[in-house]
Amino acid sequence: MGQTVTIDPVTRIEGHAKITIHLDDGGAVEDVRFHVTEFRGFEKFCEGRSFWEMPGITARICGICPVSHLMASAKAGDAILGVKIPPAAEKLRRLMNWAQYVQSHALSFFHLSAPDLLLGMESFPAARNIVGLIQAYPDVARNGIRLRQIGQEIIRILGGKSVHPSWTVPGGVRQPLSADDRDTIKRMLPDAFDIIEIALDLLKDSFESFAREIETYGNFPSLFAGLVTPDGGLEHYDGLFRVMDSDGKLLEEGIDPARYRSIIEEAVEPWSYLKFPYYKPLGYEDGAGMYRVGPLARINICDYIGTPRADRELRQFRRLGERGKPVASSFHYHYARLIEVLFALEKIEETLESDDITSTRVRSEAGVNQLVGIGVSEAPRGTLFHEYHVDENGILQKANLIVATGQNNLAMNRTVRQIAEAYITGGKPGEGLLNRLEHGIRMFDPCLSCSTHAVGQMDLQVTLVDRHGTVIDRLTR
Amino acid sequence: MKQHAKRKKIRLATAWLGGCSGCHMSLLDLDERLVDLFQAADLVYSPIADIKTFPEEVDVTLVEGAVANVDHLELAQQIRERSTIVVSFGDCAVTGNVTSLRNRLKVDDLLTKVYQEGPGKAPRGLEEDRIIPALIPKVLPLHQVIEVDAYVPGCPPEPDAIWEAVNALLHGAPVRLKQEMRYFG
């Protein structure tokens, strides 16, 4: 008789999830599943609300990356108004977005993953958290807390609140930046640069001792997708959508992200509330259309980063992959994340020097001019799509959101399977192994409070698989 | 809090039901004050720690989020049985807030629309495989499910309000937030 081991709940991730491992009679791994157990239904209950309310409502999808939803939602609103927002407003939005990368990536690295990296994957569970880190490595913990604080503080200075600021709105932003506040932000940056350098050293020093993890934690070929600037640079706020295969070949060079439906489709499995988006041209079968988004994907698909210090790191990062190919190990999400923090800090510094950064012209006024608005932005965890269909009064008739974490669902499932197969040699796995599986999920920094709101209006495929992995039913609409 | 260092450490828990984790983010926004907090309190259960079952004999539990599915119901009841003080932490726990916006829709309709606009099988907390929890018909604020001892409103509550509430609790005092800390949204 085979047995099932359940990890419930998966902890130190941003959301609600379980992992099940199905073992066969001989104790070998038969199947591993990452189940997302939360469901809230945003797109449906937003029907009937005004698009003006959407940034405020959709920010509540996620308290970790509310700014991402503010950006995508406000950009969808810009499209409904049919306006180009003032240049200072775009710079200010980008500033807040980069500040969010700083706080969110600091949270992921220091608060959630560093306990595994510094205390050990198999260390005592009750102390394997930020509190244990404060005790064992107080300087590291304090640095993490400080880096996250700097990101949150910039958001608060710009928007009045660090979580759910009601500042980014269709047409621009509500409040300009004062010269005093600009200077306050500037004064925080040297500290942040010091901390990110320490974090980069810390992580790179760990590569040698984590060689086996790098090999077995989500190391497989897949597609990578995300936004890039029109000339191929790293991009977080706007840009074109690019898809790269595991050989480094571009399958989509740079398409208008508003056309996302032509290349992304979603499947549903009966054992998770989270859908399974895939790259449509290659299909769902055997994970052929599996793609990864987020820091690793963005750093892999861009031709260059565009700031001096981050570009230097990029050259080191590229050496981790086979020549000319993207870096395949998901363990390097950690590295990519830190490179993005460095980039964000450099961009914040550069942007604060713009002549018009304190301009008071920060909002374009208009009414409803388009009945469909699609807003796309890069959230810390990957590409975020908001699509709104409104009536003449701006009342939502239909909404579709695709969030980053959903797009990593196939890859996260593949990752937990790969780790289980590598570390289970027969019989019931020990506690340390369970934490390894969870770390596999943590690398993706999934945001499950975000991920379970996607209501696909697209083609939908449901696959039923029996315990032997045989497809017994498939329904498509 | 240093003068209380010799006192038995408070057993503190935090839980996350149906919400966005914004309240937990605001808790982390205590920043350096976290170091003081964890000198006075042991964190015995939390989404940021690796403890899988809600422990016995917890002094204070902060509960973020509304009650939206059967797992939340079960956890809320465990929290009540095993905690001396339960704090309704943030607007979703206090009022249902954004999480309860789904209450005008029937659960079956909602899931059908989301997962199977057309023929298909929705994940809906299959009876035989209780891996994913079934949604309850209406999202409920925490005090409609269990007795609550203190309320800290806000979406999310500001770190200063959290600090004031947590400090009172650590000293065994009742939570009395100043007027300007008692707001919603």
Side-chain angles (χ1 to χ4, degrees):
Chain A
M1 188 60 196
Q3 58 168 331
T4 302
V5 180
T6 306
I7 304 178
D8 170 22
V10 178
T11 44
R12 279 187 289 135
I13 60 165
E14 291 141 353
H16 302 273
K18 302 176 185 178
I19 292 172
T20 54
I21 308 164
H22 305 260
L23 301 175
D24 69 12
D25 303 349
V29 176
E30 190 176 76
D31 198 6
V32 184
R33 284 172 179 177
F34 172 63
H35 310 264
V36 174
T37 57
E38 190 72 7
F39 172 84
R40 288 165 79 205
F42 268 73
E43 288 96 332
K44 281 298 150 192
F45 68 62
C46 283
E47 287 177 1
R49 313 294 300 218
S50 162
F51 79 101
W52 292 106
E53 298 178 278
M54 289 301 280
I57 295 177
T58 59
R60 267 71 180 184
I61 289 174
C62 177
I64 301 146
C65 54
V67 172
S68 302
H69 290 284
L70 287 170
M71 295 299 155
S73 183
K75 286 177 75 181
D78 300 342
I80 289 168
L81 300 176
V83 298
K84 187 169 164 53
I85 69 171
E90 184 178 325
K91 284 177 189 154
L92 290 172
R93 280 188 187 174
R94 284 177 180 271
L95 267 187
M96 184 181 270
N97 203 34
W98 285 315
Q100 176 192 229
Y101 273 77
V102 173
Q103 72 84 12
S104 176
H105 283 354
L107 174 77
S108 170
F109 183 73
F110 286 100
H111 298 62
L112 303 178
S113 291
D116 299 332
L117 300 175
L118 292 175
L119 305 173
M121 301 277 172
E122 306 196 7
S123 61
F124 182 52
R128 202 172 51 211
N129 53 51
I130 184 71
V131 186
L133 199 67
I134 289 172
Q135 275 144 13
Y137 295 90
D139 292 348
V140 175
R142 277 176 198 274
N143 277 333
I145 288 170
R146 176 71 184 137
L147 186 63
R148 178 174 175 277
Q149 181 187 20
I150 291 170
Q152 288 288 73
E153 189 63 14
I154 297 173
I155 294 171
R156 196 192 60 75
I157 288 170
L158 290 166
K161 267 173 102 178
S162 58
V163 181
H164 304 325
S166 47
W167 175 76
T168 312
V169 289
V173 300
R174 269 186 218 279
Q175 293 289 332
L177 176 67
S178 72
D180 279 354
D181 283 343
R182 175 197 57 198
D183 296 341
T184 307
I185 298 176
K186 271 190 195 175
R187 282 195 295 274
M188 294 190 286
L189 294 178
D191 241 13
F193 276 115
D194 287 350
I195 295 170
I196 194 62
E197 291 295 348
I198 292 168
L200 279 161
D201 284 347
L202 204 70
L203 179 69
K204 284 185 271 183
D205 287 349
S206 78
F207 286 168
E208 204 175 331
S209 42
F210 287 107
R212 185 168 179 213
E213 284 78 4
I214 291 169
E215 195 56 41
T216 49
Y217 280 32
N219 189 6
F220 46 75
S222 79
L223 310 180
F224 292 97
L227 298 181
V228 289
T229 63
D231 62 348
L234 182 64
E235 174 61 282
H236 289 132
Y237 170 79
D238 213 353
L240 300 171
F241 198 68
R242 184 177 259 197
V243 181
M244 177 181 273
D245 73 9
S246 57
D247 290 325
K249 186 176 148 230
L250 291 182
L251 302 181
E252 305 289 342
E253 182 85 38
I255 66 166
D256 178 354
R259 289 183 44 235
Y260 74 100
R261 283 163 178 276
S262 63
I263 55 166
I264 298 173
E265 205 164 317
E266 292 179 289
V268 169
E269 298 286 355
W271 43 268
S272 183
Y273 279 128
L274 182 54
K275 292 181 181 180
F276 295 79
Y278 59 96
Y279 177 62
K280 205 164 160 177
L282 295 184
Y284 187 61
E285 217 55 33
D286 303 322
M290 172 176 68
Y291 63 100
R292 284 179 270 185
V293 295
L296 182 68
R298 287 189 292 257
I299 298 293
N300 271 332
I301 62 168
C302 70
D303 300 328
Y304 68 98
I305 288 184
T307 57
R309 292 167 71 168
D311 266 321
R312 273 204 297 278
E313 283 300 328
L314 178 67
R315 286 192 285 278
Q316 287 193 41
F317 179 89
R318 294 271 198 250
R319 286 184 219 132
L320 299 170
E322 277 180 61
R323 200 177 166 75
K325 291 185 180 182
V327 173
S329 173
S330 296
F331 192 87
H332 290 312
Y333 264 98
H334 294 307
Y335 191 14
R337 201 167 281 130
L338 297 182
I339 295 174
E340 287 196 326
V341 174
L342 183 57
F343 168 74
L345 292 170
E346 289 183 282
K347 291 303 280 188
I348 290 170
E349 190 173 51
E350 179 192 310
T351 307
L352 287 174
E353 295 302 327
S354 314
D355 292 337
D356 62 350
I357 195 68
T358 53
S359 162
T360 52
R361 193 178 293 278
V362 292
R363 191 164 174 182
S364 303
E365 304 281 348
V368 173
N369 289 306
Q370 308 282 343
L371 298 182
V372 181
I374 298 178
V376 183
S377 192
E378 281 291 331
R381 293 152 192 83
T383 323
L384 172 64
F385 301 89
H386 278 222
E387 176 174 351
Y388 306 153
H389 297 251
V390 297
D391 68 8
E392 297 286 345
N393 299 309
I395 302 301
L396 243 73
Q397 308 298 304
K398 208 164 72 170
N400 189 45
L401 313 180
I402 295 189
V403 301
T405 294
Q407 301 175 80
N408 279 332
N409 201 1
L410 284 170
M412 289 192 292
N413 272 280
R414 177 76 60 95
T415 296
V416 287
R417 185 177 186 122
Q418 189 174 36
I419 296 173
E421 283 171 348
Y423 286 89
I424 294 178
T425 44
K428 190 172 173 160
E431 200 287 326
L433 179 113
L434 301 189
N435 188 47
R436 287 179 183 280
L437 289 167
E438 292 177 279
H439 190 95
I441 294 301
R442 253 170 240 139
M443 296 179 311
F444 290 88
D445 191 23
C447 185
L448 307 180
S449 41
C450 274
S451 63
T452 38
H453 312 301
V455 180
Q457 298 296 328
M458 309 187 229
D459 293 345
L460 193 64
Q461 200 177 60
V462 178
T463 309
L464 290 177
V465 183
D466 71 8
R467 62 188 294 275
H468 303 294
T470 315
V471 175
I472 50 176
D473 198 4
R474 176 168 287 134
L475 298 147
T476 311
R477 71 161 164 81
Chain B
M1 269 186 294
K2 288 222 166 73
Q3 64 268 33
H4 296 285
K6 281 181 194 150
R7 204 173 63 182
K8 183 176 158 282
K9 281 178 98 177
I10 296 280
R11 286 168 60 78
L12 174 72
T14 76
W16 173 9
L17 309 180
C20 75
S21 88
C23 303
H24 272 84
M25 290 303 108
S26 211
L27 175 72
L28 292 180
D29 283 348
L30 289 175
D31 300 323
E32 288 91 349
R33 288 178 286 189
L34 286 173
V35 178
D36 297 338
L37 173 62
F38 294 131
Q39 267 165 11
D42 280 327
L43 187 65
V44 295
Y45 182 88
S46 172
I48 60 162
D50 279 348
I51 299 117
K52 306 294 181 193
T53 2
F54 196 84
E56 303 284 347
E57 292 176 20
V58 177
D59 295 307
V60 176
T61 304
L62 307 178
V63 183
E64 169 182 349
V67 178
N69 67 36
V70 295
D71 278 4
H72 299 154
L73 268 178
E74 195 179 311
L75 181 57
Q77 272 145 11
Q78 277 178 358
I79 288 171
R80 184 63 277 179
E81 283 161 18
R82 299 172 189 180
S83 319
T84 308
I85 293 168
V86 175
V87 181
S88 196
F89 181 41
D91 286 351
C92 286
V94 176
T95 71
N97 199 32
V98 174
T99 306
S100 68
L101 288 179
R102 76 151 156 93
N103 283 358
R104 66 182 172 86
L105 301 165
K106 279 191 181 156
V107 164
D108 274 359
D109 291 351
L110 185 66
L111 286 175
T112 305
K113 282 186 168 147
V114 169
Y115 293 102
Q116 51 181 55
E117 301 253 50
K121 295 261 187 215
R124 50 178 60 209
L126 303 171
E127 289 301 320
E128 69 273 22
D129 173 21
R130 282 216 34 207
I131 289 296
I132 58 171
L135 302 184
I136 58 173
K138 299 278 180 203
V139 170
L140 300 170
L142 188 63
H143 63 269
Q144 288 196 9
V145 175
I146 57 170
E147 203 182 321
V148 165
D149 304 295
Y151 296 83
V152 182
C155 182
E158 285 290 310
D160 286 346
I162 298 173
W163 186 237
E164 182 130 331
V166 167
N167 246 319
L169 292 165
L170 291 179
H171 290 86
V175 175
R176 295 196 203 287
L177 294 180
K178 285 181 236 149
Q179 181 62 39
E180 64 269 24
M181 290 176 172
R182 281 182 269 148
Y183 56 86
F184 292 90

